[in-house]
Amino acid sequence: MDKGRQPMSRPPMTDAKRIAAEWACERLIRRFALLNDAGEYEELASLFVEDGSFARPTDPDNPVVGRQAILGFFRSRPKRTTRHLMSNIVVDVEDDGGTARAVSYVTLYSGPAGSGTPPIAADPVQLVGAYHDKLVLTDAGWRFAERRGSVALKTRQAQE
């Protein structure tokens, strides 16, 4: 850069643009949970940028990197019936309007994949955790650059 030239700066975000960005990021977080529960893994993987990373809450120090690797990871998991309940979603859009950070809580109920009539009996061990996300605005909309989970609580195994 030439001496004395300053980088171009964007005008500050309006409240309306910030609120719209926060809503879009919250929707992305909820969509991830719905697609995961439905087994729609191709669409789930498309919620990540090409070189995005995902670390599941039970294994936060071993992220899967890259959209295709994320797709392979989800496809390789054993079939289960799950419901990921997302709550306490807080999104902070950066001043540039193209990046954001988010924290959300996840409560996971799971049970065997069944062909029986719902309701299916849930497993005795259930998890409560969080996701810490880095999000970026792309030509396709908001996408996960990084999604890192953690577990805070789990129920005890039922006693016989």
Side-chain angles (χ1 to χ4, degrees):
M1 182 161 57
D2 293 339
K3 191 173 182 177
R5 287 186 67 195
Q6 298 296 318
M8 283 184 48
S9 62
R10 293 184 184 194
M13 286 188 74
T14 64
D15 287 344
K17 285 185 179 182
R18 183 174 303 280
I19 290 167
E22 290 171 356
W23 178 86
C25 291
E26 286 184 34
R27 187 174 190 282
L28 181 72
I29 290 166
R30 291 188 301 271
R31 186 143 187 81
F32 176 93
L34 290 171
L35 293 170
N36 193 352
D37 292 339
E40 302 278 341
Y41 301 134
E42 287 182 20
E43 193 172 345
L44 180 146
S46 76
L47 301 180
F48 288 82
V49 295
E50 192 63 42
D51 61 346
S53 68
F54 172 74
R56 61 189 297 196
T58 56
D59 197 11
D61 296 325
N62 292 302
V64 179
V65 179
R67 186 183 293 151
Q68 288 305 310
I70 292 167
L71 174 59
F73 167 78
F74 278 96
R75 283 182 172 164
S76 71
R77 292 172 52 189
K79 299 272 188 229
R80 306 280 299 152
T81 299
T82 60
R83 291 298 179 265
H84 293 78
L85 308 178
M86 304 307 299
S87 63
N88 297 13
I89 301 170
V90 176
V91 177
D92 291 311
V93 179
E94 305 292 331
D95 288 336
D96 66 5
T99 58
R101 293 186 181 271
V103 176
S104 57
Y105 289 173
V106 58
T107 303
L108 172 63
Y109 290 92
S110 62
S115 57
T117 304
I120 297 167
D123 291 338
V125 176
Q126 305 304 330
L127 302 175
V128 178
Y131 281 108
H132 296 265
D133 301 317
K134 293 180 184 174
L135 307 119
V136 294
L137 183 58
T138 71
D139 290 341
W142 285 93
R143 295 293 181 262
F144 293 108
E146 180 181 304
R147 176 148 247 235
R148 188 170 189 268
S150 62
V151 174
L153 304 164
K154 74 176 186 173
T155 58
R156 294 183 193 191
Q157 196 111 21
Q159 299 296 321
E160 296 293 322

